[in-house]
Structures are given as C-alpha cells and as structure tokens.
Amino acid sequence: VSLSTADRESRLAEARRVCQERGVPLTNQRRAVLQALLDRDDHPTADALYEVVVHDLPQISRATVYRSLDALVELGLAARVSHPGSATRFDPTVRRHHHLICDRCGAILDLEDPTLDRIPLPDTRPAGFRARDYSVQVRGLCERCTGGG
Ligand SMILES: [Zn+2]
Ligand SMILES: [Zn+2]
C-alpha cells in the first residue's frame, strides 16, 4: 500500500525524532534513502533504491546507500525482507505484517491479515532463543505470473 503525503511526512518526522533521541544524525543520504523507500510498495532491493537516490544525490555511492539502509533498519525505521536465494529487499513498513511472495518473478506484496497477526510466539527459551516477532511468508504465483487480471 502506497503512503499518502501526510503519512510520508509523519514518517519523516518520526525519523527525525528517532535520530534525535538516539543521538545519530539524519544525514541527507539517510533521508533520501528513507524517502525513496517510503515511495515504494514493492519492497525494493538496495540496488533499486540506489538507482532512485542517485538522481537527487549524484555523488552518493552504492556503499553509502547500503550503509544508510543498515542504519535505518538499526533505528527501526525500515525492515529487511529476506527469502532464500534472492537479494535482501527493504520494507518501509516496520509494524507486523505479512508477505505474499511470487515463486516465479520474486514479487513481494504486503498481506494484512488479522488472523495471522494472532499466532502465539513459540516458547523457544530452552534453546536460548528469545522470539521477538514474526512474519508469515505465503508463497505462490502473483497475478501477472498466473496470467490473470
Ligand atoms: Zn510473479
Ligand atoms: Zn511488507
């Protein structure tokens, strides 16, 4: 789901507040990367975001975009979406939600489902692991790849 202008502004304000609280600068580069991510609902790769950001900041390097994304994830302003065998994708939505993943083209779509939001976290403490959150990935074929729509 694409963000409205108001949502986008409030996410940027949140980013400024979080950076201030954590005492880290919201650099031009980080802001540009976050803005580019907020404009997308297709869970872009770091390289796809670089292609967008470099239009506004021609001096920016791929490495800076990668580091900016790491910083945004660390600050809780963006999330990583990973599935085996493909490049890490980034998500502007950090609250719990789920994904539909196309096996053929790799498209990732958001899935909001209150039923999936209520799965109890397993008690894995005997293994020394503390579950914090989860996200369900539903695999299949997207509308384009099934030829429908
Ligand atoms: Zn597909
Ligand atoms: Zn998502």
Side-chain angles (χ1 to χ4, degrees), residues 73-144:
V73 170
E74 169 70 19
L75 290 163
L77 298 168
R80 282 193 188 84
V81 185
S82 303
H83 60 110
S86 64
T88 299
R89 313 270 289 260
F90 291 88
D91 197 329
T93 304
V94 292
R95 64 180 161 70
R96 180 181 297 169
H97 68 291
H98 313 285
H99 293 116
L100 302 170
I101 299 181
C102 179
D103 283 330
R104 190 169 296 168
C105 72
I108 301 181
L109 304 168
D110 281 340
L111 171 64
E112 305 280 351
D113 186 329
T115 308
L116 294 180
D117 290 344
R118 288 195 298 267
I119 300 173
L121 285 174
D123 184 6
T124 50
R125 286 191 195 187
F129 185 92
R130 289 195 182 193
R132 179 174 55 82
D133 201 1
Y134 67 92
S135 161
V136 175
Q137 299 188 343
V138 179
R139 327 268 322 209
L141 292 176
C142 73
E143 192 176 45
R144 217 169 22 157

